[in-house]
Amino acid sequence: MTIVDRTALGSPAGPTPAGSADSGSADSGSADASGAPHPAAPAPALISLSIAGALNAALRDALADDPSVVVFGEDVGPLGGVFRVTDALHATFGESRVWDSPLAESGIVGTAIGMAMYGLRPVIEMQFDAFSYPAFEQITSHLAKMRNRTKGRVSLPVVIRIPYAGGIGGVEHHSDSSEAYWTHTPGLTVVTPSNPADAYSMLREAIASDDPVIFLEPKSRYWAKDTLVLPVRTAPMARAQVLREGADVTLIAYGPTVKTALEAAALAELEGLSVEVVDLRSLSPFDDETVGASVQKTGRAAVIHEAAQFGGYGAEVAARVTERQFFHLQAPILRIAGFDVPFPSPKQEEHYLPTAERVLAALDTWEW
Amino acid sequence: MTIVDRTALGSPAGPTPAGSADSGSADSGSADASGAPHPAAPAPALISLSIAGALNAALRDALADDPSVVVFGEDVGPLGGVFRVTDALHATFGESRVWDSPLAESGIVGTAIGMAMYGLRPVIEMQFDAFSYPAFEQITSHLAKMRNRTKGRVSLPVVIRIPYAGGIGGVEHHSDSSEAYWTHTPGLTVVTPSNPADAYSMLREAIASDDPVIFLEPKSRYWAKDTLVLPVRTAPMARAQVLREGADVTLIAYGPTVKTALEAAALAELEGLSVEVVDLRSLSPFDDETVGASVQKTGRAAVIHEAAQFGGYGAEVAARVTERQFFHLQAPILRIAGFDVPFPSPKQEEHYLPTAERVLAALDTWEW
Amino acid sequence: MNDVVAARAEPVRPTLKPIRLIDEKGAPVKGAERAGFTLPSPEVLLGLYRRMVMARRFDVQVTALTRQGRLATYPSALGQEGCEIGAVSSLGENDWLFPTYRDSVALLTRGVPPVQILSSFRGEWHMGFDPYEHRISPQATPLATQALHAVGLATGAKLKGDEVVALTLLGDGATSEGDAHEAFNFASVWQAPVVFVVQNNGYAISVPFSKQSHARTLADHAIGYGMPGYFVDGNDVAAMYAVTSAAVQNARAGGGPTLIEGLTYRIESHTNSDDPTRYRSPHEVAQWRQRDPIARLETYLRASGALSDALFDEIAAAAEQLAAATRDAMNTEPVLDPLELFDHVYATERPALREQREYLARELAAAEPAPADVSSTESISTASGSIA
Amino acid sequence: MNDVVAARAEPVRPTLKPIRLIDEKGAPVKGAERAGFTLPSPEVLLGLYRRMVMARRFDVQVTALTRQGRLATYPSALGQEGCEIGAVSSLGENDWLFPTYRDSVALLTRGVPPVQILSSFRGEWHMGFDPYEHRISPQATPLATQALHAVGLATGAKLKGDEVVALTLLGDGATSEGDAHEAFNFASVWQAPVVFVVQNNGYAISVPFSKQSHARTLADHAIGYGMPGYFVDGNDVAAMYAVTSAAVQNARAGGGPTLIEGLTYRIESHTNSDDPTRYRSPHEVAQWRQRDPIARLETYLRASGALSDALFDEIAAAAEQLAAATRDAMNTEPVLDPLELFDHVYATERPALREQREYLARELAAAEPAPADVSSTESISTASGSIA
Ligand SMILES: Cc1ncc(C[n+]2csc(CCOP(=O)(O)OP(=O)(O)O)c2C)c(N)n1
Ligand SMILES: Cc1ncc(C[n+]2csc(CCOP(=O)(O)OP(=O)(O)O)c2C)c(N)n1
Ligand SMILES: [Mg+2]
Ligand SMILES: [Mg+2]
């Protein structure tokens, strides 16, 4: 297993998103995966695959397995998406399965809704997180509500893939984390993988789901590699996973901050603190069981995310875990999150993003 | 002082929004207020005024006092808005100060931003809460961020008035509570009055503010009356207010749920429980001081809102108050909120909306 | 590039005067105003007449019931029957309709039972019929949003090789929304089999067309999308039917989308709770009452001998029957299950939602006669005590 | 209603062929292709030439610096100088420009210092100049959003009685967004003094115009808004300047908005990180290089005798100076204050934000040489341990 090192995350003034995507797009895993569209192909091989490559493989396999799956959006065709997640799909499956749409996010979501009403399973892309905002009405007023509105008669199996969060030196509007908007909206399922195996497995599961899924892709982790065998199936996407066991404190993380949490746990160990790390994977629904069990064991918890703290997803985590585990808690649940300011410019993001050091400093504020 | 009784809230199958507005629009308070555009007019009289009337008076006085104030949106001109909050303003101030725009919310917010850049102070209306969603991108990516983007060079003194929440038997999309979306967005100020005096005072303050303000108007309370003298100035809008003092528990409410909290407090008193009620008034910023002081005193708190609980504003309240007051808390902070389902149809909303009874039941779940 | 652009032929250009086949006096139109369209057969016209009469009676009945408080709200289409019925009658059985809140009579025409149409306006649930049974999407409230769904569905059908056309109804106000533009554009780029019918009834609630658009006609928008556009007299059901049918056929044949503007008028208030005296004159309304689409066709049909007194009476009786059935249906209070609030939010079960469902179930089970209303005057006095 | 609609005169209709004053060989155009516009004076043309040369040199320099990693990103306008400079040169001092990320050279032309233009692309702050000093809004990234700001500002100026015109630049892709439609519509309904200049450079990142629109020309959209539309050869700076100037004058005189499409081409990649070989042929690019807007004007000016060798050299030298100054500016690392993150979010001070500011201040103060990088390979192994 290879782990992408810090430098691959892109320094603040480093390459722009698509640039980094370019450098990472031709990864062998992706290419290998492309060569094996049929899951039951002989001799499954252990390959090295990035998150971007795993997502590409999942799309390829879903397109191959189910003729009702279609992929469209801005630049997802011949270009393969600005992060190359849809690389080579257009060439393989043709214009009627994978195509470039006009440039309008509300239009993309709105037409995906219509297609889903007709039995297709659209997997669409919002090019960057903040560019999902023009589609906000279609997502909240229709995608999220159609099933309930029609008493379950109309399912909308639409997956909206959204590259999100910072850490790649993106200019304004290219680093937002909007999970709190989506998770507050009943009717949506919101998930985010933190590693290649989950990326593959969860995207397949999202596409197979009859519920609309907001699939958040941590863009700073697109090029983080792992070795695995395709097709891989990890735990059901609704379940959180304990990535590291510990006794003293539970770190709750998701998407890009899972790496931060693991780093913090490793550093804390040097200081003699035993840290459990939970990767939420699913933000809505929230896995009360797994998180609850961990917090009951450790008695202390902190949640880490990039979005602004105020009204962020961490508030829900803190509130509900406190509600349910109050008498197990020895200290208030901490939130290590973005500051309550707009996401900063590339050269300033290092000061904004939660780091392992900041997590440790937060743990130090507790009276132990 | 007169208090509107329960029947005025509109029964679930009762009149639709605009209908109720019709019945309440000709209220004498509003008319009186209209007659006194100059705050310093002689002999200030005690008048009976509804929230809708107070908002109308505030707009009228702001238009009269400051030539840079303009009011536009859907049906805010000759019709006076579907809730009649802009009643008679068009006739008084003319088409260049108060006018009907084309029907497009992104357009309304986007052009308001441009006007504000040129020194105007637009007060715009989103006709119902869910109809602010088409403007989501303009609000989050520009209105909220312009000041920061330009290092403070460009202020956007825009007020977006949004009638929100349920309780009036509105059909789908007419009863949303979207405060959690706005409060999570750095750069926005979000306030909501619960009574006529605050409605007047806070709207005047919002219009005078150099920050963009999301001004949430609790539509089920539009016709709740109070007697007061115009122009009234209540506490600064950033400050929460203790509406009722108590020793045992703090109920934190805002907008439409303030009435619920006061009812619950009255009922609880019969059961021997001394309940303090805090009206937040400002959702962003949050008044940590006032709420903190109350919770330190009572040791227990519950927050009440209509929006879905998951990721709702109550999560932030619970999380931050717990963070700051953990060792003063005798029990977890409770959230009495909407269920995690889309806002229901008129005949079902009674089951969805938090009631005083539900608040009391929640308090009963604590071990006292 | 240059060549790509120049190679595109100019599509049909909307006429300056609305296309008309029967004039306001009920006489057949000759010449240019017909724009090449021909009058439908007497059988078709009689069918349209019957549907309009039924629609009108239904609409009047529901408005009356709404005034009695039996419905939470009802947006009437009185006066727009020519536009509504002409457009929707052009659809085949497998075609789809994407209507708005205003278009209940279009649903009626397509066979949705009154009780199912009115379920949402009574406040029972957000919609009352099965979209797949009738091939009709829920009546959209957020303006222009459904136009994109229509484009998506039509494109989905095209991708699957099915000969399905989607027709969507939009108001004049709705065309100002960004979604209308995106729908027009996606449809034309994808050559989706969609027909956009804009019912320009002069107002968006209180806002007159002159404050909504500076266009000569909304059909002119078609030019900017390289699609055919037609400006039609919406109160001439014959013209609406002829033009829409041609557009549906063209779409079905692979010719892509069409934009049709029907010029009509909303005789009733926006909804029962609107006060139109604030924004329009009785004179204007009276003028438009003169242009009634039903009276116009009736005159024509009687003059041409197609509509006998007997048939007239038969249709009127059928309409009365519909009205009676609608009244009856509104007399029955449906039994609603509050717990259903939780049942359709997700296809995938959620433990936390089950918890909330159980909470409500317990609350309902425990429910006794409502406790006395404790008016909390005192506490609000405290609130105002802080007023400067 | 009917009368209101019919009373509106049809505005100028875009021509099928782009308007041109100087042809691709540098010869003055005669006849219909000019659409009634006349060639600007030699002085004006020389000014446009100088500005284009400066712009080109700046653009090439910044692209080079970006390749060297000195900027985070840079969207080049190489090849679009005719469009950019022609359009922006039509503005008066009190007029406003609403540009996009693509339009740095338009800012340069309007006098914004390079170091201020490039601040955002270097990743220092979201923008680097004072909007009020230059009457230029921040370069918008969310597509088409700035068009609404332009309409609002122009309307605000009109309301205040100021003779200010707002010009906004949009890409072909951006016209597909709902906001573009809303901006066109608001502007025409309000008769706002706005000029919309769509730079149709053939692509939206990788998506060709043929997948963006089915229109003959994007200028055709104007018809649907009842506003004048012009389809212009964007690589003919003379035509761009003449048409845009007329539109600005018309707006200033109270004639309302105009939509202008300039047909041009993006010679460089979308940004430095794009790979255009995936979606367009070198042949196509080579063809468009032949249509270079600067070479075209240069030929004309030399032939007409307005551009001497001496003047040519002088301009070239000025351009080199600009390039050198730009390089120098990028050599200086600006000192950034992390605490400024908190200083401009609100006009009104917030205690909670002050707390966060103090937190970061403490963190910065405590900062020592970074701790050793603890690679947490083990823990991620655990993660994958759960893989089926
Ligand atoms: C996105 C959105 N904004 C606002 C509204 C509120 N609203 C309901 S109907 C209406 C007017 C619509 O006018 P038009 O499109 O002409 O249709 P008509 O009612 O005349 O049939 C408005 C503003 C809405 N439903 N959706
Ligand atoms: C709302 C929004 N969606 C997506 C993007 C991502 N994006 C940036 S530039 C671009 C293409 C724009 O094409 P065009 O408008 O033709 O301008 P050009 O880059 O060719 O100058 C896209 C899709 C964005 N910036 N904003
Ligand atoms: Mg209308
Ligand atoms: Mg382009």
Side-chain angles (χ1 to χ4, degrees):
Chain A
M1 162 162 318
T2 38
I3 300 296
V4 73
D5 71 14
R6 264 163 182 265
T7 57
L9 296 179
S11 63
T16 54
S20 315
D22 271 349
S23 52
S25 68
D27 77 53
S28 61
S30 172
D32 286 348
S34 321
H38 301 292
L46 200 69
I47 55 172
S48 168
L49 203 59
S50 67
I51 287 186
L55 295 169
N56 180 264
L59 289 170
R60 176 177 294 271
D61 290 352
L63 282 159
D65 287 358
D66 182 348
S68 63
V69 173
V70 293
V71 170
F72 67 99
E74 295 157 11
D75 303 292
V76 299
L79 184 67
V82 295
F83 292 104
R84 303 297 183 265
V85 169
T86 56
D87 193 28
L89 300 180
H90 180 262
T92 308
F93 297 97
E95 181 77 13
S96 64
R97 303 289 307 283
V98 179
W99 71 92
D100 288 328
S101 72
L103 207 173
E105 293 77 11
S106 187
I108 293 168
V109 176
T111 55
I113 288 171
M115 287 180 215
M117 287 181 76
Y118 202 79
L120 296 181
R121 293 187 170 269
V123 184
I124 56 181
E125 177 178 304
M126 304 280 103
Q127 199 161 84
F128 284 86
D129 195 272
F131 305 143
S132 61
Y133 300 160
F136 196 83
E137 182 187 34
Q138 285 288 352
I139 296 174
T140 53
S141 288
H142 289 302
L143 188 65
K145 290 181 175 162
M146 187 69 82
R147 181 184 183 82
N148 181 66
R149 175 182 302 147
T150 61
K151 289 202 175 187
R153 292 173 184 123
V154 178
S155 292
L156 295 181
V158 175
V159 176
I160 307 187
R161 295 182 35 247
I162 313 183
Y164 82 119
I168 60 158
V171 292
E172 201 186 0
H173 309 288
H174 289 74
S175 301
D176 277 25
S177 289
S178 60
E179 65 273 16
Y181 299 138
W182 312 126
T183 51
H184 180 50
T185 306
L188 299 177
T189 295
V190 186
V191 302
T192 179
S194 73
N195 60 65
D198 272 351
Y200 180 93
S201 181
M202 290 166 69
L203 184 51
R204 293 296 310 262
E205 192 179 343
I207 295 172
S209 170
D210 281 337
D211 288 314
V213 178
I214 306 289
F215 195 90
L216 299 171
E217 304 175 357
K219 66 174 91 74
S220 66
R221 305 291 296 151
Y222 265 142
W223 309 285
K225 288 197 179 187
D226 240 335
T227 49
L228 45 82
V229 174
L230 287 184
V232 60
R233 282 298 165 129
T234 61
M237 68 180 180
R239 302 309 304 254
Q241 290 294 96
V242 176
L243 294 194
R244 175 188 172 114
E245 306 226 351
D248 301 333
V249 54
T250 302
L251 288 182
I252 303 166
Y254 54 92
T257 61
V258 169
K259 177 169 188 282
T260 317
L262 291 169
E263 282 172 10
L267 288 173
E269 196 171 35
L270 303 179
E271 297 179 15
L273 207 62
S274 169
V275 174
E276 181 143 315
V277 175
V278 178
D279 177 359
L280 288 182
R281 301 168 83 249
S282 173
L283 305 186
S284 174
F286 179 83
D287 184 350
D288 288 299
E289 204 178 276
T290 303
V291 176
S294 176
V295 172
Q296 282 182 18
K297 181 174 73 174
T298 60
R300 292 174 191 262
V303 52
I304 316 170
H305 62 69
E306 290 191 12
Q309 179 179 80
F310 197 90
Y313 185 75
E316 177 62 32
V317 174
R320 73 188 292 118
V321 175
T322 304
E323 272 161 17
R324 291 162 191 245
Q325 314 297 341
F326 188 75
F327 297 104
H328 291 100
L329 284 172
Q330 292 159 39
I333 295 182
L334 294 176
R335 296 182 285 167
I336 298 107
F339 297 117
D340 295 323
V341 307
F343 197 94
S345 278
K347 292 194 178 175
Q348 302 262 35
E349 70 176 338
E350 60 172 316
H351 301 298
Y352 174 91
L353 292 171
T355 56
E357 293 71 29
R358 205 170 271 174
V359 173
L360 290 185
L363 303 189
D364 277 346
T365 64
W366 279 326
E367 308 197 1
W368 286 89
Chain B
M1 163 165 315
T2 37
I3 300 296
V4 74
D5 70 14
R6 264 161 183 267
T7 57
L9 295 180
S11 62
T16 53
S20 316
D22 271 349
S23 54
S25 68
D27 79 53
S28 61
S30 172
D32 286 349
S34 322
H38 301 292
L46 201 69
I47 55 172
S48 167
L49 204 59
S50 68
I51 287 186
L55 295 169
N56 180 264
L59 289 170
R60 177 176 292 271
D61 291 352
L63 282 158
D65 286 357
D66 182 348
S68 63
V69 174
V70 293
V71 170
F72 68 99
E74 295 157 11
D75 303 291
V76 300
L79 184 66
V82 295
F83 292 105
R84 304 296 183 266
V85 169
T86 56
D87 194 27
L89 300 180
H90 180 262
T92 308
F93 297 98
E95 181 76 14
S96 65
R97 303 290 304 284
V98 179
W99 70 93
D100 289 327
S101 73
L103 208 173
E105 292 77 10
S106 187
I108 293 168
V109 176
T111 54
I113 288 171
M115 287 181 215
M117 286 181 76
Y118 203 78
L120 296 182
R121 294 188 169 267
V123 184
I124 56 181
E125 177 179 303
M126 304 279 103
Q127 199 161 83
F128 285 86
D129 194 272
F131 305 142
S132 62
Y133 300 159
F136 196 82
E137 181 187 34
Q138 286 288 353
I139 296 174
T140 53
S141 289
H142 289 302
L143 187 65
K145 291 181 175 160
M146 187 68 83
R147 182 185 181 82
N148 182 66
R149 174 183 302 146
T150 61
K151 289 202 176 186
R153 291 173 184 123
V154 177
S155 291
L156 295 181
V158 175
V159 176
I160 306 187
R161 296 182 33 246
I162 313 184
Y164 82 120
I168 60 159
V171 293
E172 200 187 357
H173 308 289
H174 289 77
S175 301
D176 277 25
S177 289
S178 61
E179 65 274 15
Y181 300 139
W182 311 127
T183 50
H184 180 51
T185 306
L188 299 178
T189 294
V190 185
V191 302
T192 180
S194 71
N195 59 65
D198 271 351
Y200 180 93
S201 181
M202 289 166 69
L203 185 51
R204 293 296 310 261
E205 193 178 342
I207 295 171
S209 169
D210 281 337
D211 288 314
V213 178
I214 306 289
F215 195 90
L216 299 171
E217 304 175 357
K219 64 173 91 78
S220 66
R221 305 292 295 149
Y222 264 142
W223 310 284
K225 289 197 177 185
D226 239 336
T227 50
L228 46 80
V229 174
L230 287 183
V232 61
R233 281 300 164 128
T234 60
M237 67 180 181
R239 303 309 303 255
Q241 290 294 98
V242 176
L243 294 194
R244 176 186 172 116
E245 306 226 351
D248 301 333
V249 53
T250 302
L251 288 182
I252 303 166
Y254 54 92
T257 62
V258 170
K259 177 169 186 283
T260 318
L262 291 169
E263 282 171 9
L267 287 172
E269 194 171 37
L270 303 179
E271 297 179 14
L273 208 63
S274 170
V275 175
E276 180 143 316
V277 174
V278 178
D279 177 359
L280 287 181
R281 301 167 84 248
S282 174
L283 305 186
S284 174
F286 178 84
D287 184 349
D288 287 299
E289 204 178 276
T290 302
V291 176
S294 177
V295 171
Q296 283 182 17
K297 181 173 73 174
T298 61
R300 293 174 192 263
V303 52
I304 316 170
H305 61 69
E306 290 191 13
Q309 179 180 78
F310 197 91
Y313 185 75
E316 178 62 33
V317 174
R320 74 188 293 119
V321 175
T322 304
E323 272 162 15
R324 290 160 192 245
Q325 313 298 340
F326 188 74
F327 297 104
H328 291 101
L329 283 172
Q330 293 159 40
I333 295 182
L334 295 176
R335 295 182 284 167
I336 298 106
F339 296 117
D340 294 324
V341 306
F343 197 94
S345 277
K347 290 194 179 175
Q348 302 263 37
E349 70 176 336
E350 60 174 316
H351 302 297
Y352 175 92
L353 292 171
T355 56
E357 293 72 28
R358 205 170 270 172
V359 173
L360 290 186
L363 303 189
D364 277 347
T365 64
W366 279 326
E367 309 194 2
W368 286 89
Chain C
M1 267 304 303
N2 217 325
D3 315 322
V4 171
V5 172
R8 287 192 187 149
E10 178 169 12
V12 180
R13 181 80 207 278
T15 50
L16 186 59
K17 282 203 146 194
I19 297 170
R20 205 175 260 176
L21 299 179
I22 300 178
D23 72 15
E24 292 185 3
K25 303 206 154 35
V29 170
K30 310 235 174 287
E33 230 177 318
R34 294 166 58 150
F37 289 94
T38 52
L39 209 55
S41 71
E43 294 71 46
V44 167
L45 289 176
L46 271 178
L48 292 170
Y49 175 74
R50 178 187 293 270
R51 289 166 165 203
M52 285 200 294
V53 170
M54 302 289 276
R56 170 73 52 90
R57 188 63 193 89
F58 174 78
D59 199 278
V60 168
Q61 180 61 68
V62 178
T63 296
L65 288 165
T66 307
R67 290 219 178 90
Q68 292 160 29
R70 310 292 282 276
L71 287 90
T73 189
Y74 179 69
S76 159
L78 193 90
Q80 300 183 208
E81 295 89 351
C83 215
E84 296 264 353
I85 310 299
V88 79
S89 297
S90 69
L91 291 176
E93 210 196 325
N94 290 327
D95 296 333
W96 273 75
L97 174 68
F98 288 79
T100 76
Y101 54 90
R102 172 84 55 220
D103 309 312
S104 297
V105 298
L107 273 66
L108 183 77
T109 293
R110 232 174 129 76
V112 184
V115 68
Q116 293 182 15
I117 297 172
L118 299 177
S119 175
S120 64
F121 299 121
R122 292 178 88 187
E124 296 163 17
W125 197 267
H126 308 297
M127 73 174 304
F129 59 93
D130 182 343
Y132 291 114
E133 184 187 341
H134 299 282
R135 296 195 172 79
I136 303 177
S137 77
Q139 292 182 261
T141 300
L143 295 163
T145 53
Q146 82 284 0
L148 282 165
H149 307 164
V151 175
L153 184 132
T155 302
K158 186 179 164 180
L159 287 172
K160 288 195 169 192
D162 298 345
E163 283 201 344
V164 170
V165 175
L167 184 149
T168 182
L169 294 162
L170 292 162
D172 47 310
T175 65
S176 293
E177 292 280 3
D179 273 12
H181 165 62
E182 299 187 13
F184 297 161
N185 191 47
F186 274 65
S188 58
V189 171
W190 291 351
Q191 289 292 289
V194 181
V195 179
F196 301 102
V197 177
V198 175
Q199 299 194 76
N200 185 346
N201 63 4
Y203 290 90
I205 307 186
S206 71
V207 182
F209 181 66
S210 60
K211 296 198 172 177
Q212 202 62 250
S213 169
H214 195 65
R216 241 180 25 152
T217 140
L218 287 170
D220 270 0
H221 275 301
I223 303 163
Y225 303 95
M227 71 173 151
Y230 297 95
F231 180 38
V232 184
D233 181 341
N235 283 14
D236 177 4
V237 70
M240 279 303 297
Y241 177 80
V243 175
T244 312
S245 296
V248 168
Q249 265 177 272
N250 182 52
R252 203 184 308 287
T258 299
L259 175 61
I260 298 169
E261 175 186 2
L263 190 64
T264 182
Y265 195 80
R266 193 195 76 215
I267 298 288
E268 273 288 350
S269 53
H270 171 71
T271 65
N272 51 303
S273 50
D274 179 34
D275 175 9
T277 63
R278 288 182 169 238
Y279 56 82
R280 67 184 187 182
S281 69
H283 173 71
E284 183 183 286
V285 181
Q287 266 193 323
W288 276 94
R289 280 199 187 269
Q290 298 301 316
R291 299 175 188 158
D292 189 85
I294 302 183
R296 189 193 297 200
L297 182 58
E298 190 184 319
T299 308
Y300 173 81
L301 287 174
R302 283 200 187 267
S304 70
L307 182 64
S308 64
D309 284 350
L311 187 52
F312 177 89
D313 291 344
E314 188 242 290
I315 293 172
E320 282 312 318
Q321 237 173 3
L322 171 68
T326 303
R327 282 193 302 272
D328 287 352
M330 293 303 102
N331 274 334
T332 330
E333 267 303 312
V335 183
L336 303 178
D337 177 6
L339 296 179
E340 208 176 351
L341 287 186
F342 303 92
D343 294 349
H344 311 297
V345 186
Y346 296 98
T348 320
E349 230 210 313
R350 293 190 163 205
L353 210 54
R354 197 172 47 226
E355 284 175 21
Q356 295 186 2
R357 192 180 196 281
E358 283 158 10
Y359 169 91
L360 181 58
R362 279 195 307 275
E363 191 181 87
L364 291 168
E368 286 164 311
D373 187 351
V374 181
S375 222
S376 48
T377 30
E378 267 181 17
S379 40
I380 293 201
S381 305
T382 315
S384 316
S386 70
I387 289 165
Chain D
M1 265 302 304
N2 216 323
D3 314 319
V4 171
V5 172
R8 285 188 188 153
E10 178 169 14
V12 179
R13 182 81 209 277
T15 50
L16 187 61
K17 282 203 146 192
I19 298 170
R20 206 174 260 174
L21 300 178
I22 300 178
D23 73 15
E24 292 185 3
K25 302 206 154 37
V29 170
K30 308 236 174 288
E33 229 176 319
R34 294 166 59 152
F37 289 94
T38 52
L39 209 54
S41 71
E43 294 70 47
V44 168
L45 290 176
L46 271 179
L48 292 170
Y49 174 75
R50 177 187 293 268
R51 289 167 165 204
M52 287 200 293
V53 171
M54 302 290 275
R56 170 72 53 89
R57 188 63 192 88
F58 174 78
D59 199 279
V60 167
Q61 180 62 67
V62 178
T63 296
L65 288 165
T66 307
R67 291 219 178 88
Q68 294 161 28
R70 308 293 279 278
L71 286 90
T73 188
Y74 179 69
S76 158
L78 193 91
Q80 300 183 208
E81 295 89 350
C83 217
E84 297 265 354
I85 309 301
V88 79
S89 296
S90 69
L91 291 176
E93 209 197 326
N94 290 327
D95 297 332
W96 273 75
L97 174 67
F98 288 78
T100 76
Y101 54 89
R102 172 84 56 221
D103 309 312
S104 298
V105 298
L107 273 65
L108 183 77
T109 294
R110 230 173 130 76
V112 184
V115 67
Q116 293 182 15
I117 297 173
L118 298 177
S119 174
S120 63
F121 299 121
R122 292 178 88 188
E124 295 163 17
W125 197 267
H126 308 297
M127 74 174 304
F129 59 94
D130 182 342
Y132 290 114
E133 185 187 342
H134 299 282
R135 296 195 174 76
I136 303 177
S137 76
Q139 292 182 262
T141 300
L143 296 162
T145 53
Q146 82 285 1
L148 281 164
H149 308 164
V151 176
L153 183 131
T155 303
K158 186 180 165 180
L159 286 172
K160 288 197 169 192
D162 297 346
E163 284 201 344
V164 170
V165 175
L167 184 149
T168 182
L169 295 162
L170 292 161
D172 46 311
T175 65
S176 293
E177 292 279 4
D179 272 13
H181 164 62
E182 299 187 13
F184 297 161
N185 192 47
F186 274 64
S188 58
V189 171
W190 292 351
Q191 288 293 289
V194 181
V195 179
F196 301 102
V197 176
V198 175
Q199 300 193 73
N200 185 345
N201 63 5
Y203 290 89
I205 306 187
S206 71
V207 182
F209 181 65
S210 60
K211 298 200 171 176
Q212 204 62 250
S213 168
H214 194 66
R216 240 178 28 150
T217 139
L218 287 170
D220 269 359
H221 274 303
I223 302 163
Y225 303 94
M227 70 174 151
Y230 297 95
F231 179 38
V232 184
D233 182 341
N235 282 13
D236 176 4
V237 70
M240 280 303 298
Y241 176 80
V243 175
T244 313
S245 295
V248 168
Q249 264 177 273
N250 182 52
R252 202 184 309 286
T258 299
L259 174 60
I260 298 169
E261 174 185 3
L263 191 64
T264 181
Y265 196 80
R266 193 195 75 215
I267 298 288
E268 271 288 350
S269 53
H270 171 70
T271 65
N272 51 303
S273 51
D274 179 34
D275 175 10
T277 64
R278 288 182 169 236
Y279 56 81
R280 66 183 190 184
S281 68
H283 172 71
E284 183 183 286
V285 181
Q287 265 194 324
W288 276 94
R289 280 197 187 272
Q290 297 302 314
R291 299 176 188 158
D292 190 84
I294 302 182
R296 189 192 296 199
L297 182 59
E298 189 183 320
T299 309
Y300 172 82
L301 288 174
R302 282 199 187 268
S304 70
L307 182 64
S308 64
D309 283 350
L311 187 52
F312 178 89
D313 291 343
E314 188 243 291
I315 292 172
E320 281 313 318
Q321 233 172 5
L322 172 67
T326 303
R327 282 193 304 271
D328 286 351
M330 293 305 103
N331 274 335
T332 331
E333 267 303 314
V335 183
L336 303 178
D337 177 7
L339 296 179
E340 207 175 352
L341 287 186
F342 303 93
D343 294 349
H344 311 296
V345 185
Y346 296 97
T348 320
E349 230 211 314
R350 294 190 163 206
L353 210 55
R354 198 174 46 228
E355 284 175 21
Q356 295 186 1
R357 192 181 196 280
E358 283 159 10
Y359 169 92
L360 181 58
R362 279 195 307 275
E363 191 181 89
L364 291 167
E368 285 165 314
D373 186 351
V374 181
S375 221
S376 47
T377 28
E378 268 182 16
S379 41
I380 293 200
S381 305
T382 316
S384 314
S386 70
I387 290 165

